[in-house]
Amino acid sequence: MVKPDKASAKDLFDSRVHYEIPPYQRPYVWNEEEQWAPLWDDIVRVAESHVRLGEGERQPTASHFLGAVVFELTEAHSAGIDRFDVIDGQQRLTTLQIVLDAAEQVMAKRGLDDESEVLSDLVLNSQPRYKGTPERFKLWPSRADRSAFESVMDPIGGSADSSHQIVKAHQFFAAEIERWVSGAPDEMGERPPGDESTRAAQLCETLSRRLMFITIDLSEEDDSQLIFETLNDRGTPLLKADLIKNWVFREGKKIGADVDFWASNIWDDFDTEWWRAEIAQGRLVRSRVDIFLQYWLTMRTLDEVKSDLVFRLFTDYASSRMKDVEGAEAFLRELRSDADTYRNLATLEATTAAGRFRVQVVEAMELAATLPVFLWFISENHGIPGAQVSRGLEALSSWAIRRTLLRLTSKDVNRLMIAILKELAKVDPAESGDALHTYLSSQTADSRYWPSDEAVAQSLPSLKIYGQIKQSRLRAVLGEIEQHRRSKTPMHESVPVPSGLSIEHVMPQEWRSHWDADPKLDQDAAQKRDHLVNRLGNLTLTTQSLNSSLSNRPWTDAAAAGMSQGGQTGKGKRALLQSFSLLVLNKGIVDDHETGWTEDDIIRRSRSLTDDIIAIWPGPDTAIQAHEYERARAEKG
């Protein structure tokens, strides 16, 4: 029968064992952004809490739960190796082995022999009889990963493809462990606590004893294939919201609440199709209600909430509010109010700051990580005045869009949102927007700073952005520029930009067909033009139908004489734009360039559109920014 148990790396690997991932399992696919970096953050969180124990930390983090693994004993030997097939959890086990080995190599390199020996025993079966065989490893991956795994875990000659995920994972963890153990600062300039010896000892202890699995060891009578199919069933799983609902109603009964009233007035909506529908977030697909609860908990706890911890963290957070009926109902009504706000995001008027933020940042820039801060500002529970909502959301919009257009990293956005929430929790609601503007203006780290007008003006016009930034994001920016230019005079109709427009290159990407110079451009000039045609100033919006007709046509009718491809025989690109496009963006191109569209025109228009962007999304307080940069330089010495 199935026997669930709790196990650490030491429990799983501190004996002669050989876990083999069957050939039918998928190859190793975890990556830095979605799995390695979050796992390393969790490891550091646990290890540092124990390092700080000697520095006044009252209660260290006992452990971190890695998830469930299922395996089946295939061969047992009293004097040899116990062999297991891994039925489920192969990505977790492989990653843990990579982390253990990377840590062992760092410890050995730094002369930390005790820690190196402990970790080595969790990675290798070191008995001479297994040397050079797959059995020397405690884990043996699926066939596609074996060469890469062997090359990084116990290199005996040769090297694997450096692009393989296992190689990348080992390099990532080795670099992070080296930095943390040595005490080097992270990108925020923060150094880990303790001395090297203490950090090494606590990291070793964390990796071997504090990373916990729920293990299911199948016995002979269990159908491993059936178990595997059940664990990976495509049917409707039990949601985190279902677990939370059961807990809430059980607590309600304990305190004598009218749980029937709770069901009909507070919770039933969560059980509707809209909330339970699964939507994609990156590579993950989850129900809307579980996604909302994760964002809501992040907003309420002022801390990052991992999706697999939503239930436990909800109960931890809610327990103190569920002691009596009055407190419980007040708490649940706050939850219901914020849930209604979340559900109504799609109905926000595009003319409001909240509506613009949803369209521009959450949807177009795909920065769902900003939702906890977004919810904070528009939550009725916080009562932030409308002017301050606008002030705060416009600052965050500018920060997000300016960084996106300059192709700056977004890898720190989750931690930044937590820092913003903590800052907002300190201030009066009537000052929330000003506080956020000031806080963003004060950021100096590469992963957080808010590009100034000068930085945008200097960099954006010369950047190749088509092909580097998603077209949906570029469409949103160009659409806002169109609205901005319309708003400059009441002479223009106040109409929304049509949806479904496509991006058109004024000078075609395939310019060699009809746009080459006479004599033809040399190689250097051609390469320069290839870059120029993908700059901001050469991009505009048209309908898809017009886009198809424009294609690679020359600019003037004279140059297009006899051309019929895409319809509109003998018409150049300028004439087609003039006839069929009503956009102000295109009117400026057509009216001012009768005879041609040149590289100099692209450069000038890139600067003009950049000026529009600076006006639409105003930048940081440069006085605060300058002061913070000066202070940061002074601190570095």
Side-chain angles (χ1 to χ4, degrees):
M1 61 180 295
V2 176
K3 297 170 288 187
D5 203 356
K6 186 177 177 182
S8 65
K10 188 169 182 63
D11 297 324
L12 290 172
F13 302 120
D14 194 26
S15 58
R16 284 188 238 182
V17 293
H18 184 71
Y19 295 87
E20 184 165 349
I21 298 173
Y24 59 81
Q25 299 276 27
R26 64 176 177 169
Y28 185 72
V29 296
W30 278 17
N31 61 63
E32 177 179 342
E33 181 177 359
E34 296 180 11
Q35 287 94 18
W36 308 337
L39 173 59
W40 175 244
D41 288 344
D42 289 325
I43 291 169
V44 168
R45 175 174 53 83
V46 176
E48 288 190 353
S49 73
H50 286 269
V51 172
R52 290 193 179 98
L53 190 59
E55 303 175 359
E57 182 89 1
R58 291 181 297 173
Q59 184 64 43
T61 304
S63 61
H64 174 68
F65 177 57
L66 285 177
V69 293
V70 182
F71 49 82
E72 181 179 25
L73 179 67
T74 58
E75 192 175 340
H77 289 283
S78 59
I81 283 183
D82 289 339
R83 299 173 183 271
F84 300 85
D85 273 353
V86 178
I87 307 302
D88 194 62
Q90 71 273 21
Q91 303 286 325
R92 296 181 180 93
L93 284 177
T94 303
T95 304
L96 179 58
Q97 279 289 301
I98 291 170
V99 177
L100 290 168
D101 187 73
E104 187 280 325
Q105 290 184 18
V106 171
M107 302 298 180
K109 173 185 171 184
R110 302 189 69 82
L112 299 162
D113 296 337
D114 291 343
E115 288 77 13
S116 174
E117 181 178 350
V118 168
L119 295 169
S120 179
D121 287 342
L122 300 179
V123 175
L124 296 173
N125 293 308
S126 57
Q127 293 77 12
R129 76 177 89 167
Y130 305 124
K131 186 175 182 180
T133 70
E135 285 76 17
R136 72 188 187 277
F137 296 108
K138 298 294 176 88
L139 178 78
W140 191 232
S142 59
R143 186 175 292 109
D145 295 327
R146 288 173 184 171
S147 176
F149 186 86
E150 195 170 15
S151 74
V152 297
M153 301 290 286
D154 187 27
I156 54 176
S159 59
D161 180 5
S162 60
S163 65
H164 197 286
Q165 285 301 96
I166 283 181
V167 177
K168 290 181 178 179
H170 200 280
Q171 291 171 343
F172 169 81
F173 286 111
E176 292 296 325
I177 292 167
E178 173 73 23
R179 181 195 61 75
W180 190 81
V181 171
S182 69
D186 61 18
E187 68 175 14
M188 303 302 299
E190 297 176 358
R191 295 181 182 273
D195 55 36
E196 178 169 322
S197 176
T198 304
R199 287 192 297 271
Q202 291 302 333
L203 179 61
C204 179
E205 191 71 2
T206 295
L207 294 178
S208 60
R209 297 179 185 272
R210 297 174 186 144
L211 301 181
M212 305 304 297
F213 292 98
I214 294 298
T215 61
I216 300 176
D217 185 359
L218 304 182
S219 59
E220 291 183 358
E221 62 265 33
D222 294 316
D223 185 337
S224 61
Q225 183 60 33
L226 180 60
I227 296 290
F228 180 81
E229 290 174 357
T230 301
L231 289 167
N232 294 275
D233 190 357
R234 293 187 180 184
T236 304
L238 194 64
L239 305 181
K240 304 297 184 189
D242 296 327
L243 299 174
I244 290 172
K245 175 184 177 181
N246 291 338
W247 179 84
V248 165
F249 280 65
R250 188 172 64 250
E251 294 298 303
K253 288 181 179 180
K254 288 180 183 178
I255 59 177
D258 183 352
V259 293
D260 291 333
F261 176 82
W262 287 7
S264 60
N265 289 274
I266 297 175
W267 206 274
D268 277 358
D269 183 50
F270 285 132
D271 292 326
T272 60
E273 183 178 350
W274 189 89
W275 279 108
R276 298 182 72 86
E278 292 190 335
I279 59 175
Q281 278 198 317
R283 294 179 58 181
L284 298 178
V285 177
R286 294 189 294 143
S287 67
R288 278 197 184 95
V289 64
D290 282 359
I291 292 170
F292 161 71
L293 288 168
Q294 182 181 6
Y295 290 141
W296 186 80
L297 277 172
T298 299
M299 176 185 71
R300 297 295 288 240
T301 63
L302 312 181
D303 204 355
E304 188 171 1
V305 174
K306 300 296 178 66
S307 59
D308 58 337
L309 296 179
V310 167
F311 171 64
R312 182 177 68 80
L313 293 178
F314 184 95
T315 59
D316 289 348
Y317 174 71
S319 291
S320 63
R321 302 287 302 274
M322 300 285 292
K323 297 297 185 183
D324 57 64
V325 174
E326 183 180 0
E329 291 193 350
F331 169 73
L332 292 175
R333 288 192 183 281
E334 291 172 5
L335 171 63
R336 180 71 262 163
S337 174
D338 287 335
D340 291 341
T341 297
Y342 181 84
R343 181 163 188 170
N344 292 328
L345 290 181
T347 65
L348 292 171
E349 291 290 336
T351 55
T352 65
R356 289 193 298 272
F357 188 90
R358 175 185 64 83
V359 171
Q360 296 174 9
V361 180
V362 178
E363 295 182 358
M365 301 301 121
E366 300 175 285
L367 279 174
T370 61
L371 273 167
V373 173
F374 186 23
L375 284 173
W376 180 286
F377 270 94
I378 63 177
S379 170
E380 292 183 0
N381 296 316
H382 295 146
I384 298 175
Q388 287 295 300
V389 171
S390 297
R391 173 76 163 161
L393 294 183
E394 286 168 1
L396 190 53
S397 293
S398 170
W399 177 90
I401 290 168
R402 286 179 174 219
R403 288 186 63 87
T404 297
L405 291 173
L406 296 185
R407 292 156 41 195
L408 300 174
T409 181
S410 62
K411 68 178 182 179
D412 192 44
V413 67
N414 288 324
R415 289 200 297 177
L416 176 60
M417 293 306 112
I418 300 302
I420 288 172
L421 289 170
K422 290 179 178 178
E423 193 71 18
L424 293 172
K426 300 175 186 176
V427 302
D428 188 297
E431 301 172 355
S432 296
D434 293 332
L436 178 53
H437 192 284
T438 298
Y439 184 78
L440 288 173
S441 297
S442 70
Q443 299 305 298
T444 58
D446 288 345
S447 60
R448 294 190 177 188
Y449 85 93
W450 185 1
S452 65
D453 292 354
E454 181 181 5
V456 175
Q458 286 182 348
S459 300
L460 184 56
S462 60
L463 285 180
K464 174 185 176 182
I465 62 172
Y466 188 88
Q468 302 297 319
I469 298 173
K470 282 188 175 182
Q471 291 192 36
S472 57
R473 298 175 183 178
L474 293 177
R475 278 196 296 269
V477 170
L478 290 171
E480 289 299 323
I481 294 174
E482 170 69 17
Q483 292 286 43
H484 173 69
R485 291 192 169 187
R486 283 181 175 276
S487 69
K488 287 184 175 180
T489 171
M491 302 292 286
H492 288 301
E493 300 89 347
S494 179
V495 294
V497 177
S499 61
L501 296 180
S502 62
I503 293 177
E504 168 69 11
H505 289 75
V506 183
M507 181 182 290
Q509 288 180 292
E510 302 297 327
W511 54 267
R512 289 170 177 82
S513 300
H514 302 290
W515 291 66
D516 207 347
D518 185 16
K520 292 184 180 297
L521 298 181
D522 61 28
Q523 184 176 357
D524 289 343
Q527 287 180 346
K528 176 186 175 184
R529 177 171 286 189
D530 284 336
H531 185 280
L532 274 168
V533 296
N534 289 306
R535 289 187 187 178
L536 179 64
N538 194 48
L539 305 179
T540 191
L541 296 173
T542 66
T543 63
Q544 182 58 55
S545 178
L546 180 56
N547 184 287
S548 299
S549 294
L550 293 172
S551 187
N552 297 322
R553 284 174 183 260
W555 185 247
T556 65
D557 290 351
M563 291 188 63
S564 60
Q565 183 181 3
Q568 303 298 318
T569 301
K571 294 291 186 180
K573 180 170 281 193
R574 177 180 180 274
L576 291 177
L577 285 171
Q578 189 173 42
S579 297
F580 298 108
S581 178
L582 301 177
L583 298 184
V584 177
L585 272 174
N586 294 331
K587 184 175 176 57
I589 297 171
V590 168
D591 290 351
D592 299 336
H593 303 89
E594 292 187 10
T595 59
W597 178 257
T598 68
E599 294 178 4
D600 288 340
D601 294 325
I602 294 173
I603 292 170
R604 281 191 291 270
R605 186 166 177 269
S606 292
R607 293 171 182 156
S608 174
L609 295 183
T610 297
D611 290 341
D612 289 330
I613 287 167
I614 289 171
I616 296 166
W617 294 285
D621 185 319
T622 52
I624 293 174
Q625 195 170 63
H627 172 76
E628 291 299 322
Y629 273 115
E630 185 61 34
R631 187 173 66 84
R633 282 193 291 268
E635 289 178 353
K636 289 181 179 178

